[in-house]
Amino acid sequence: MKKKMKLASVLVACSMVSSFLQVQTSEVSAAEAYSPKHYTIPANSANVRWGNIGKGDAVLTVNSGDIVTVETVTHHSGDDYDRIIKGDAGIEDIFKWTAEEKNEPDRGPGVHILTGPIRVAGAEPGDVLEVRILDMSLRPSANPAYAGKTYGVNSAANWGYLYGDMIEEPKTREVVTIYEMDSNGSTDYAKALYNYRWTPQTDPDGKVHNTVDYPGVVVDHNTVVENHNIMKDVKVPVRLHFGTMGVAPSEADVVDSVPPSYFGGNVDDWRIGKGGTMYYPVAISGAYLSVGDPHAAMGDSELNGTAIETSLTGDIQIILHKKDSLNNKLKGLDFPLLETENEWVVQGFSYANYLKDLGTTAQKDIYNNSSVDKAMKDASYKTRRFLMNGMNLTEDEAYSLMSVSTDFGISQVVDANWGVHAVIAKSLFTDREPTLTSVRSAFEAVGAKLVWNSTKKSMIVQKGDNALTMTIGSDDASFNGKAFKLNKPLQVKDGKAMADAYFLNLYSSKLLDPQ
């Protein structure tokens, strides 16, 4: 295997940092205020692994609070070479495979292209790694013939839930659908461009693939029939998210990227997108965070085997919470937990830790032992514990609340270790856990300037080239000129402008992020 590049290209963000970002590592004193740095990890064969979410060699080491721009590439790029790979130097490098050379020879045991891993200085087992997703954007096609467009792939594959159980013949067909999107986000939907049935494909080593059974095989479109004018007038809402993100488990160094588990990984929950925050239990020193399997859209269940698989670039902030400083929600965390501005989302699986539960052959046996029943039970156990420990409810109170207000849903039934999630509304606990925080205090703590307009009752928060605009009593806001809606209108309390704490934390991070 070629030697991994140890440092990605670096952009340094000159900024101050609030107390919640103070580094607690052995390499930087906890009492020393740390100015977050900004790094970029470009997508190329030196910075990715194919199918392994185990430890590996770090491509970058960060401190708590650092911001990383991560380029991620879909492993389905070869389904339309001209639109997705051609002209893109990074993707061409990853997919390069000839009879003489294969840039990523170790494709397995899973299938996903994962950027990283990223080592987090000072991270130790028992800590919790927080990953804030500050921004996400589509990777444009580099082929001049398709300028301004991004393409994604949905593959109704042999691991899909209804494979072999179709109405029409042949019942075991695999169908690839290519979707088109505007790269700049000017539209918020994807449209189906064409589809085709998979036909046997011969790879550069001469092996014939009768089904979609190996990652990175480039489809010869002379062997397939493209069906155009499909799904006319259908617009699929774009919900950019990472299908796979997680830390390295402790049970093995080489770990299949397909089954999710306590360490995160291929969770496949479309809510893990811009504005979301993931919490992962650290299992090994350094945490070793990997990011990939980018999606443009997916429904709960990912029924036919895949989402709209595309390539994305995301800005993430990595924050380390030491074991002895964890709050009740994070104390003892042993599963991937999602937080959004409005919700907590608990992730359950058929096996909470399949690597431990299924023994030495776990990575093989998990494919034959999952069920929704098991995943529902696991999600229920975890939700009950979260409500009791994190929200200070009794077991009877938690059980009742789970039944009357918690939305359980099927995350996926195609990733070997099936998933069920539980969505808990934060609004249930507004009186128990006040969420309003001083706007001025939060933003000045990261070195931002606040400009108040008394006539319009509005404020502009500036940090470098970034600007956030808000108005008292309104839920209208804008960031760098792009309008969006606040979850709660900006309020005045005791003469101070107040806003939702989660929102303020997120936008404090975004202000630090160079655009």
Side-chain angles (χ1 to χ4, degrees):
M1 179 187 295
K2 66 171 64 179
K3 185 71 174 176
K4 295 289 185 180
M5 184 174 71
K6 294 298 181 183
L7 288 177
S9 58
V10 177
L11 295 172
V12 179
C14 298
S15 56
M16 296 173 64
V17 65
S18 64
S19 59
F20 69 86
L21 293 183
Q22 285 187 346
V23 178
Q24 303 178 48
T25 77
S26 58
E27 300 180 18
V28 180
S29 168
E32 177 184 346
Y34 178 73
S35 181
K37 292 182 172 61
H38 182 270
Y39 301 91
T40 296
I41 306 180
N44 55 48
S45 62
N47 290 335
V48 304
R49 291 180 299 166
W50 210 316
N52 177 18
I53 200 169
K55 182 180 178 181
D57 297 326
V59 302
L60 176 69
T61 295
V62 300
N63 284 303
S64 180
D66 285 346
I67 295 170
V68 185
T69 295
V70 183
E71 295 184 3
T72 60
V73 171
T74 175
H75 53 293
H76 287 272
S77 298
D79 290 336
D80 190 326
Y81 181 92
D82 283 351
R83 288 177 170 84
I84 304 176
I85 299 179
K86 188 175 182 179
D88 190 310
I91 303 181
E92 287 179 342
D93 183 44
I94 293 168
F95 274 78
K96 184 177 182 180
W97 184 6
T98 66
E100 295 76 30
E101 186 178 7
K102 188 178 183 183
N103 274 4
E104 288 292 323
D106 298 325
R107 300 185 184 186
V111 298
H112 306 99
I113 298 172
L114 300 176
T115 304
I118 301 168
R119 175 181 170 269
V120 181
E124 296 293 340
D127 298 341
V128 171
L129 196 68
E130 175 183 351
V131 182
R132 295 178 181 174
I133 305 175
L134 307 181
D135 205 0
M136 300 186 82
S137 59
L138 293 164
R139 188 181 184 99
S141 173
N143 186 335
Y146 306 108
K149 300 296 183 182
T150 296
Y151 296 89
V153 178
N154 173 250
S155 180
N158 58 81
W159 59 87
Y161 193 70
L162 295 180
Y163 182 73
D165 194 21
M166 304 296 284
I167 297 171
E168 300 170 352
E169 297 291 344
K171 296 184 183 298
T172 55
R173 64 189 181 273
E174 294 178 289
V175 178
V176 175
T177 303
I178 304 298
Y179 286 84
E180 182 181 75
M181 297 157 281
D182 290 323
S183 301
N184 62 6
S186 59
T187 56
D188 60 356
Y189 57 84
K191 297 198 73 173
L193 190 64
Y194 70 93
N195 67 17
Y196 62 87
R197 290 184 184 177
W198 181 272
T199 58
Q201 300 293 315
T202 304
D203 69 30
D205 293 337
K207 182 177 180 179
V208 177
H209 301 269
N210 293 312
T211 62
V212 183
D213 63 357
Y214 187 78
V217 175
V218 174
V219 173
D220 179 358
H221 277 245
N222 291 319
T223 69
V224 300
V225 176
E226 297 181 2
N227 304 301
H228 291 260
N229 297 317
I230 62 171
M231 287 190 250
K232 294 183 67 175
D233 303 321
V234 175
K235 297 179 179 179
V236 179
V238 167
R239 301 189 289 204
L240 305 183
H241 61 281
F242 293 123
T244 301
M245 183 164 65
V247 295
S250 60
E251 289 79 7
D253 288 340
V254 177
V255 180
D256 189 338
S257 67
V258 174
S261 192
Y262 73 92
F263 52 82
N266 193 25
V267 173
D268 274 338
D269 186 334
W270 58 264
R271 298 160 184 83
I272 306 176
K274 179 179 177 180
T277 297
M278 287 299 297
Y279 300 91
Y280 300 104
V282 175
I284 65 171
S285 296
Y288 288 82
L289 177 72
S290 295
V291 187
D293 188 25
H295 294 169
M298 193 190 86
D300 285 341
S301 84
E302 201 180 18
L303 196 73
N304 77 354
T306 62
I308 295 183
E309 314 281 336
T310 193
S311 296
L312 302 174
T313 297
D315 291 346
I316 61 174
Q317 185 176 36
I318 299 170
I319 300 170
L320 178 64
H321 298 272
K322 298 301 291 180
K323 181 179 180 179
D324 58 3
S325 66
L326 299 177
N327 61 33
N328 287 339
K329 295 184 187 68
L330 300 182
K331 195 173 295 183
L333 185 71
D334 58 2
F335 61 88
L337 175 67
L338 169 64
E339 181 184 10
T340 70
E341 192 170 353
N342 299 315
E343 302 161 339
W344 292 96
V345 185
V346 174
Q347 306 292 340
F349 308 108
S350 295
Y351 291 87
N353 182 351
Y354 79 93
L355 292 169
K356 177 182 177 183
D357 296 339
L358 298 180
T360 57
T361 57
Q363 297 192 55
K364 176 182 178 181
D365 293 345
I366 186 60
Y367 283 87
N368 300 311
N369 284 283
S370 289
S371 73
V372 172
D373 286 349
K374 293 176 182 177
M376 181 67 191
K377 186 78 76 172
D378 183 54
S380 300
Y381 289 158
K382 290 171 177 173
T383 303
R384 179 177 59 186
R385 177 154 50 95
F386 178 81
L387 291 172
M388 292 175 68
N389 297 343
M391 299 303 181
N392 198 30
L393 298 183
T394 68
E395 183 176 24
D396 290 338
E397 291 171 336
Y399 194 29
S400 177
L401 202 61
M402 288 163 62
S403 188
V404 302
S405 68
T406 302
D407 291 327
F408 288 85
I410 298 173
S411 305
Q412 50 75 24
V413 288
V414 293
D415 296 336
N417 197 14
W418 293 2
V420 167
H421 58 264
V423 180
I424 304 166
K426 287 183 175 179
S427 59
L428 295 166
F429 304 98
T430 300
D431 293 335
R432 181 184 292 254
E433 293 192 338
T435 59
L436 293 180
T437 301
S438 167
V439 173
R440 181 174 294 278
S441 297
F443 289 137
E444 286 186 345
V446 295
K449 295 181 179 180
L450 278 72
V451 180
W452 172 252
N453 186 320
S454 57
T455 303
K456 296 182 178 180
K457 295 185 177 180
S458 65
M459 67 169 63
I460 300 176
V461 186
Q462 294 178 313
K463 176 68 177 176
D465 293 331
N466 294 324
L468 170 67
T469 303
M470 300 179 290
T471 303
I472 297 294
S474 173
D475 61 358
D476 291 323
S478 67
F479 186 73
N480 293 340
K482 188 173 182 178
F484 68 96
K485 290 288 186 180
L486 297 172
N487 183 41
K488 302 171 185 174
L490 198 63
Q491 302 177 31
V492 174
K493 187 175 181 181
D494 298 328
K496 297 179 180 179
M498 308 288 283
D500 180 80
Y502 183 87
F503 163 80
L504 292 177
N505 280 342
L506 179 68
Y507 274 82
S508 292
S509 298
K510 288 177 70 69
L511 287 165
L512 292 170
D513 185 17
Q515 300 298 303

